[in-house]
Amino acid sequence: MVNRLFEHATLVTLDDESHIYNDASLAIAGDTILALDQIPTDFRPDERIDVGGKVIMPGLYNSHTHAAMTFARGFAEDLPLSRWFNERIWLLESALTPDMVTWGTQLAAIEMIRGGIIGFADHYFHMDKVADVVAQNGMRALLAWAVFGRDASEVGTTVPETVDFIHQTQGAANGRLRACLGPHSPYMCPEDFLARTAAVAVREQFGIHIHAAETAGQVENSLRLYDRTPIEMLNHLGLLETPSLIAHAIHVNNIDLEILSRKRVNIVQCPSTHMKYGMGVTRVPDMMARHINVALGTDGAGSSTALNMWREMRLAVLTQRQAFGTATLLGGSEALHMATRNGAQALGFTNSGILAPGYAADCIIVDTTATHFQPLHDIIAALVWCTEPADVSDVMVAGQWLLRERDLQTIDEAEAREGFEEALALMLASPYTHFQTYDD
Amino acid sequence: MVNRLFEHATLVTLDDESHIYNDASLAIAGDTILALDQIPTDFRPDERIDVGGKVIMPGLYNSHTHAAMTFARGFAEDLPLSRWFNERIWLLESALTPDMVTWGTQLAAIEMIRGGIIGFADHYFHMDKVADVVAQNGMRALLAWAVFGRDASEVGTTVPETVDFIHQTQGAANGRLRACLGPHSPYMCPEDFLARTAAVAVREQFGIHIHAAETAGQVENSLRLYDRTPIEMLNHLGLLETPSLIAHAIHVNNIDLEILSRKRVNIVQCPSTHMKYGMGVTRVPDMMARHINVALGTDGAGSSTALNMWREMRLAVLTQRQAFGTATLLGGSEALHMATRNGAQALGFTNSGILAPGYAADCIIVDTTATHFQPLHDIIAALVWCTEPADVSDVMVAGQWLLRERDLQTIDEAEAREGFEEALALMLASPYTHFQTYDD
């Protein structure tokens, strides 16, 4: 067990009171935060690290993504969502391989770690491969193996296999891995399949990660088919009885909000995708007023193009202020909370997300001494509005360095790039995809 | 005169056809682009630069800012515009010094150059200081000395002095400096002052840089006082007879748009400020349909907090797509054009803004070989959606390096930081400002 003492840091705790300590110390014992500011006199650090006035803060959580989809970055730009799916992404995915998932996820991890993201909620295929990648690269993740439930031969897996995967993965890698069920959505999955999934969730006490209420059309279809909104459908089918995470949840009415609040559902908005595809604005102020936990995600690189949580944080503020025409909605602390502890809570890492004694030693260092942060009138505003991924110098999860002075510590970047390019070349050469080129 | 040959570059020209050349060469003779792709056989470079597959593209133009206002970064967050002005910014500015303008502008220049910005339209005070800074740091700028016209003792200058400044500055620093009149706005300036300014503009053939139509309230007041919209007022008073640049222009009606089109007014939207303060959405699609030149600006760091034109580019797309609920409005090329050649045109640098033979050797190198750009399915999308300031490795203006392999070439950063801190400390200690602290 390594004991580390960080000195001369600005500690941005993001706890309930958003305590900030200037020129302070942080003591880490192994994988756990021992003390902030007031360091016990008998603490014997193996290593002292002079932070030089930079900020130490909790790491970021990307609470909804399809990490492997880096392979689709820029593959389907400026298209409506329906054409994005039908003409581009689902065609490409028809040739998906386990290797593409391995290396696509590792490429995403490089981008995420460099940008200060320590954990992610993944919803995709070949999740056993993602578990291997995360076990090795030191991040935290909540893994949901996507299932459509429409066809036994479809990409993905069947529920019994999913159940085995969750049992094997839950709590693995010293608790850095978590897993839950991943039915795709009420608009893609048949009703009876969703009901069966709900029964498994309750029996096994598994969580659920699902998409819902992304477009107004989905709500209309749901009302027409079932006389229920998508959120009402999920509730009716019993899918909200265990810890659940719903991505998007844009088109919800007040009854939906009551359900989400009562069932303590975690909502993940992905502002860059919501805005880029003109999908609408998640009702975050109404959700916060009902004490619904709202986290943030980048969605996949196939839609958002970048996996940059600083951007999502800013857009979370900007999208609301544009929608409501006010300059006072959502402050900097709220944006930071959505990207840190709200994400930790949504993913079930209840011992992460803030800097406090007893919490996991999960933190990042932001080099706020750079010129583009000056002057530091307001450290919270500086973090929200000035930080880009390149400003993150160090990333630590459970006491292990993933990034140290901007060098990746757990990933061989050249190997990942090579594996990624080989897997992508094979996929693009597949008969399923080769008739489709970007200039069509 | 130095002749340079860039080799193995991806050339993103951003010309009318948005030509892209892969693994191509770019020949620069002194301060001018000589050739792209097809290099004359008799070209004798003094220096050959292997670009290694990175992108060379035109530099960015920040077409509306108050550069020196880096001193107010994070000083007035999460406030409505009226309180931002009255309770924070104007109080702080009451203690403004020439030194603060010098060093505030230089601090902004460091941030702008590092982020690939080669030119800016500045609207502020002590513009002689800004001219000195820009003459030395190698950027391009259109300088407008802000005048309110309300009080002889006000911060700023009077029109005769402005006229002298413009004559001295126009075309200085080998044409890198341009200047124009800077009446603040129709909502701050008295009618007779604006009419006098218009007469000077026409007599001297000076351009105008002004704020207008930022809020719905301004339009209501204008209609009540003058029975004319702000744009109609500017036209009525004769302020649109010479090349003009209007910042914001959010709340405009169709008659306003006809005026702006007929008078060939350049419009600069500042999406991050517009969104952050809930000010509304500039009618860019309607302006483009009327062939109005629309450029982009960061506004001052006091409102936008960051001077990041990549961010403004993305927000220019996202704000429209959110407003109109569509995924197809404004493509990547249009966003890039707004930040490059449209800006060059708005600032009057007609020989800049695209990569083409005969144009100024103004360009930047973006390191698209980094992992977070992979795979490069779509280079335009990669530039718009993946690029952050730290991805800009090199910046050249008129054949002079301002940034080379991420090192500033024309600015002593340590000196600028020291000068900035001293000037800010003096300003904050002034009796005009010291009763006001952020925690009040």
Coordinates of all heavy atoms in Angstrom, one line a residue, chain B residues 253-305:
Chain B
N253 N -35.8 41.9 -37.2 CA -37.0 41.4 -38.0 C -36.6 41.3 -39.5 O -35.5 41.6 -39.8 CB -38.2 42.3 -37.7 CG -38.0 43.7 -38.1 OD1 -37.2 44.0 -39.1 ND2 -38.6 44.7 -37.5
N254 N -37.6 41.0 -40.3 CA -37.3 40.8 -41.7 C -36.9 42.1 -42.4 O -36.1 42.1 -43.3 CB -38.4 40.1 -42.4 CG -38.6 38.6 -42.0 OD1 -37.7 38.1 -41.4 ND2 -39.6 38.0 -42.4
I255 N -37.5 43.2 -41.9 CA -37.1 44.5 -42.5 C -35.6 44.8 -42.2 O -34.9 45.3 -43.0 CB -38.1 45.6 -42.0 CG1 -39.5 45.3 -42.6 CG2 -37.6 47.0 -42.5 CD1 -40.6 46.2 -41.9
D256 N -35.3 44.5 -40.9 CA -33.9 44.7 -40.5 C -33.0 43.9 -41.4 O -31.9 44.4 -41.8 CB -33.7 44.3 -39.0 CG -34.4 45.1 -38.0 OD1 -34.7 46.3 -38.3 OD2 -34.7 44.6 -36.9
L257 N -33.4 42.6 -41.7 CA -32.5 41.8 -42.5 C -32.3 42.3 -43.9 O -31.2 42.2 -44.4 CB -33.1 40.4 -42.5 CG -33.0 39.5 -41.3 CD1 -33.7 38.1 -41.5 CD2 -31.6 39.3 -40.8
E258 N -33.4 42.9 -44.4 CA -33.3 43.5 -45.7 C -32.3 44.7 -45.7 O -31.5 44.8 -46.7 CB -34.6 44.0 -46.2 CG -35.6 42.9 -46.6 CD -35.0 41.9 -47.6 OE1 -34.3 42.3 -48.5 OE2 -35.1 40.7 -47.3
I259 N -32.3 45.5 -44.7 CA -31.4 46.6 -44.5 C -29.9 46.0 -44.5 O -29.0 46.5 -45.2 CB -31.7 47.4 -43.3 CG1 -33.0 48.1 -43.4 CG2 -30.6 48.4 -43.0 CD1 -33.5 48.8 -42.2
L260 N -29.7 45.0 -43.6 CA -28.4 44.5 -43.4 C -27.9 43.9 -44.7 O -26.7 44.0 -45.0 CB -28.4 43.4 -42.3 CG -28.8 43.9 -40.9 CD1 -29.0 42.7 -40.0 CD2 -27.8 44.9 -40.4
S261 N -28.7 43.3 -45.5 CA -28.3 42.7 -46.8 C -28.0 43.8 -47.8 O -26.9 43.8 -48.4 CB -29.5 41.8 -47.3 OG -29.1 41.3 -48.6
R262 N -28.9 44.8 -47.9 CA -28.7 45.8 -48.9 C -27.4 46.6 -48.6 O -26.7 47.0 -49.5 CB -29.9 46.8 -48.9 CG -30.1 47.6 -50.1 CD -31.5 48.2 -50.1 NE -31.7 49.1 -49.1 CZ -32.7 49.0 -48.1 NH1 -33.5 47.9 -48.1 NH2 -32.8 49.9 -47.2
K263 N -27.2 46.9 -47.3 CA -26.0 47.7 -46.9 C -24.7 46.8 -46.7 O -23.7 47.4 -46.3 CB -26.3 48.4 -45.6 CG -27.5 49.4 -45.7 CD -27.1 50.6 -46.6 CE -28.3 51.6 -46.7 NZ -27.9 52.7 -47.5
R264 N -24.8 45.6 -47.1 CA -23.7 44.6 -47.0 C -23.0 44.7 -45.6 O -21.7 44.8 -45.5 CB -22.6 45.0 -48.1 CG -23.2 44.8 -49.5 CD -22.2 45.3 -50.5 NE -22.7 45.0 -51.9 CZ -22.6 43.8 -52.5 NH1 -22.0 42.8 -51.9 NH2 -23.1 43.6 -53.7
V265 N -23.8 44.7 -44.6 CA -23.3 44.8 -43.2 C -22.7 43.4 -42.8 O -23.3 42.4 -43.2 CB -24.4 45.2 -42.2 CG1 -23.9 45.1 -40.8 CG2 -24.9 46.5 -42.5
N266 N -21.6 43.4 -42.2 CA -21.0 42.2 -41.6 C -21.6 41.9 -40.2 O -21.5 42.8 -39.4 CB -19.5 42.3 -41.5 CG -18.8 42.5 -42.8 OD1 -18.8 41.5 -43.6 ND2 -18.4 43.7 -43.1
I267 N -22.1 40.7 -40.0 CA -22.7 40.4 -38.7 C -21.8 39.4 -38.0 O -21.3 38.5 -38.6 CB -24.1 39.7 -38.9 CG1 -25.0 40.7 -39.6 CG2 -24.6 39.2 -37.5 CD1 -25.3 41.9 -38.8
V268 N -21.6 39.7 -36.7 CA -20.7 38.8 -35.9 C -21.6 38.3 -34.7 O -22.0 39.0 -33.9 CB -19.5 39.5 -35.3 CG1 -18.6 38.5 -34.6 CG2 -18.7 40.1 -36.5
Q269 N -21.8 37.0 -34.8 CA -22.5 36.4 -33.6 C -21.4 35.8 -32.7 O -20.4 35.3 -33.1 CB -23.5 35.3 -34.1 CG -22.8 34.1 -34.8 CD -23.7 32.9 -34.9 OE1 -24.7 32.8 -34.1 NE2 -23.4 31.9 -35.7
C270 N -21.8 35.8 -31.4 CA -20.9 35.3 -30.3 C -21.7 34.2 -29.6 O -22.2 34.5 -28.5 CB -20.5 36.4 -29.4 SG -19.7 37.8 -30.3
P271 N -21.8 33.0 -30.1 CA -22.7 32.0 -29.6 C -22.5 31.7 -28.1 O -23.5 31.5 -27.4 CB -22.4 30.8 -30.4 CG -21.9 31.3 -31.7 CD -21.1 32.5 -31.3
S272 N -21.2 31.6 -27.6 CA -21.1 31.2 -26.2 C -21.7 32.3 -25.3 O -22.3 32.0 -24.3 CB -19.6 30.9 -25.9 OG -18.8 32.0 -26.0
T273 N -21.5 33.6 -25.6 CA -22.1 34.7 -24.8 C -23.6 34.7 -25.0 O -24.3 34.8 -24.0 CB -21.4 36.0 -25.1 OG1 -20.1 36.0 -24.7 CG2 -22.2 37.2 -24.5
H274 N -24.0 34.6 -26.2 CA -25.5 34.6 -26.5 C -26.2 33.5 -25.7 O -27.3 33.7 -25.1 CB -25.8 34.4 -27.9 CG -25.3 35.5 -28.8 ND1 -25.6 35.6 -30.2 CD2 -24.5 36.6 -28.6 CE1 -25.0 36.6 -30.7 NE2 -24.3 37.3 -29.7
M275 N -25.6 32.3 -25.6 CA -26.2 31.2 -24.9 C -26.1 31.3 -23.4 O -27.0 31.1 -22.7 CB -25.6 29.9 -25.4 CG -25.9 29.6 -26.9 SD -25.0 28.2 -27.5 CE -26.1 26.9 -27.0
K276 N -24.9 31.7 -23.0 CA -24.6 31.8 -21.6 C -25.5 32.8 -20.9 O -25.9 32.6 -19.7 CB -23.1 32.1 -21.4 CG -22.6 31.9 -20.0 CD -21.1 32.1 -20.0 CE -20.6 32.1 -18.5 NZ -19.3 32.8 -18.4
Y277 N -25.8 33.9 -21.6 CA -26.7 34.9 -21.0 C -28.1 34.8 -21.4 O -28.9 35.7 -21.2 CB -26.1 36.3 -21.2 CG -24.8 36.4 -20.4 CD1 -23.6 36.0 -21.0 CD2 -24.8 36.9 -19.1 CE1 -22.4 36.0 -20.2 CE2 -23.6 36.9 -18.4 CZ -22.4 36.5 -18.9 OH -21.3 36.5 -18.2
G278 N -28.5 33.7 -22.1 CA -29.8 33.5 -22.5 C -30.4 34.6 -23.4 O -31.5 35.0 -23.3
M279 N -29.5 35.2 -24.3 CA -29.9 36.4 -25.0 C -30.7 36.1 -26.3 O -31.3 37.0 -26.9 CB -28.6 37.1 -25.5 CG -27.8 37.6 -24.3 SD -26.0 37.9 -24.7 CE -26.2 39.4 -25.8
G280 N -30.7 34.8 -26.7 CA -31.4 34.5 -27.9 C -30.5 34.0 -29.0 O -29.3 33.9 -28.8
V281 N -31.0 33.7 -30.2 CA -30.2 33.1 -31.3 C -30.2 34.0 -32.5 O -31.3 34.4 -33.0 CB -30.9 31.7 -31.6 CG1 -30.1 31.0 -32.7 CG2 -31.0 30.8 -30.4
T282 N -29.0 34.4 -32.9 CA -28.9 35.1 -34.2 C -29.5 34.4 -35.3 O -29.3 33.2 -35.4 CB -27.4 35.5 -34.4 OG1 -26.9 36.2 -33.3 CG2 -27.2 36.3 -35.7
R283 N -30.2 35.1 -36.2 CA -31.0 34.4 -37.3 C -30.0 34.1 -38.5 O -30.2 34.6 -39.6 CB -32.1 35.3 -37.7 CG -33.2 35.5 -36.6 CD -34.2 36.5 -37.1 NE -34.9 36.0 -38.3 CZ -35.9 36.7 -38.9 NH1 -36.2 37.9 -38.4 NH2 -36.4 36.3 -40.0
V284 N -29.1 33.2 -38.2 CA -28.0 32.9 -39.2 C -28.6 32.3 -40.5 O -28.2 32.8 -41.6 CB -26.9 32.1 -38.5 CG1 -25.9 31.6 -39.6 CG2 -26.2 32.9 -37.4
P285 N -29.4 31.3 -40.4 CA -29.9 30.8 -41.7 C -30.6 31.8 -42.6 O -30.4 31.9 -43.8 CB -30.9 29.7 -41.3 CG -30.4 29.3 -39.9 CD -29.9 30.6 -39.3
D286 N -31.4 32.7 -41.9 CA -32.1 33.8 -42.7 C -31.1 34.8 -43.2 O -31.2 35.4 -44.3 CB -33.1 34.5 -41.7 CG -34.2 33.6 -41.4 OD1 -34.6 32.8 -42.2 OD2 -34.8 33.8 -40.3
M287 N -30.0 35.0 -42.5 CA -28.9 35.9 -42.9 C -28.2 35.3 -44.1 O -27.9 36.0 -45.1 CB -28.0 36.3 -41.8 CG -28.6 37.1 -40.7 SD -27.5 37.4 -39.3 CE -28.5 38.5 -38.3
M288 N -27.9 34.0 -44.0 CA -27.2 33.4 -45.1 C -28.0 33.4 -46.3 O -27.5 33.5 -47.5 CB -26.7 32.0 -44.7 CG -25.6 32.0 -43.6 SD -25.2 30.4 -42.9 CE -24.5 29.5 -44.3
A289 N -29.3 33.1 -46.2 CA -30.2 33.1 -47.3 C -30.2 34.5 -48.0 O -30.5 34.6 -49.2 CB -31.6 32.8 -46.9
R290 N -29.9 35.5 -47.3 CA -29.9 36.9 -47.9 C -28.4 37.3 -48.2 O -28.2 38.5 -48.4 CB -30.5 37.9 -46.9 CG -32.0 37.8 -46.8 CD -32.6 38.5 -45.6 NE -34.0 38.5 -45.5 CZ -34.8 37.5 -45.1 NH1 -34.2 36.4 -44.6 NH2 -36.1 37.6 -45.0
H291 N -27.5 36.4 -48.2 CA -26.1 36.6 -48.6 C -25.4 37.6 -47.6 O -24.6 38.4 -48.1 CB -26.0 37.1 -50.0 CG -26.6 36.1 -51.0 ND1 -26.1 34.8 -51.2 CD2 -27.8 36.2 -51.7 CE1 -26.9 34.2 -52.0 NE2 -27.9 35.0 -52.3
I292 N -25.9 37.7 -46.4 CA -25.2 38.5 -45.4 C -24.0 37.8 -44.9 O -24.1 36.6 -44.6 CB -26.2 38.9 -44.3 CG1 -27.4 39.7 -44.8 CG2 -25.5 39.6 -43.1 CD1 -28.5 39.9 -43.8
N293 N -22.9 38.5 -44.8 CA -21.7 37.8 -44.3 C -21.8 37.6 -42.8 O -21.9 38.6 -42.0 CB -20.4 38.6 -44.6 CG -19.2 38.0 -44.2 OD1 -19.0 36.8 -44.5 ND2 -18.3 38.7 -43.5
V294 N -21.8 36.4 -42.3 CA -21.8 36.1 -40.9 C -20.5 35.6 -40.4 O -20.0 34.5 -40.9 CB -23.0 35.1 -40.5 CG1 -23.0 34.9 -39.0 CG2 -24.3 35.7 -41.0
A295 N -19.9 36.3 -39.4 CA -18.6 35.8 -38.8 C -18.9 35.4 -37.4 O -20.0 35.5 -36.9 CB -17.6 36.9 -39.0
L296 N -17.9 35.0 -36.7 CA -18.0 34.5 -35.3 C -17.0 35.2 -34.4 O -15.9 35.5 -34.8 CB -17.7 33.0 -35.2 CG -18.7 32.1 -35.8 CD1 -18.1 30.6 -35.8 CD2 -19.9 32.1 -35.0
G297 N -17.4 35.5 -33.2 CA -16.5 36.1 -32.2 C -16.7 35.4 -30.8 O -17.7 34.8 -30.6
T298 N -15.7 35.6 -30.0 CA -15.7 35.1 -28.6 C -16.4 36.1 -27.7 O -16.6 35.7 -26.5 CB -14.3 34.8 -28.1 OG1 -13.6 36.0 -28.0 CG2 -13.6 33.8 -29.0
D299 N -16.6 37.3 -28.1 CA -16.9 38.4 -27.2 C -15.7 38.5 -26.1 O -14.7 37.8 -26.3 CB -18.2 38.2 -26.5 CG -18.9 39.5 -26.2 OD1 -18.3 40.6 -26.2 OD2 -20.2 39.5 -26.1
G300 N -15.9 39.3 -25.1 CA -14.8 39.4 -24.1 C -14.7 38.2 -23.1 O -15.7 37.6 -22.9
A301 N -13.6 38.0 -22.5 CA -13.5 36.9 -21.5 C -14.3 37.2 -20.3 O -14.6 36.3 -19.6 CB -12.0 36.7 -21.1
G302 N -14.7 38.5 -20.1 CA -15.6 38.8 -19.0 C -17.0 38.1 -19.1 O -17.6 37.9 -18.2
S303 N -17.4 37.9 -20.4 CA -18.7 37.2 -20.5 C -18.5 35.7 -20.9 O -19.0 34.8 -20.3 CB -19.6 37.9 -21.5 OG -19.0 38.0 -22.8
S304 N -17.7 35.5 -22.0 CA -17.5 34.1 -22.5 C -16.5 33.3 -21.7 O -16.5 32.0 -21.8 CB -17.1 34.1 -23.9 OG -15.8 34.6 -24.1
T305 N -15.7 33.9 -20.8 CA -14.7 33.3 -20.0 C -13.5 32.7 -20.8 O -12.4 32.7 -20.2 CB -15.3 32.2 -19.1 OG1 -16.6 32.5 -18.8 CG2 -14.5 32.0 -17.8

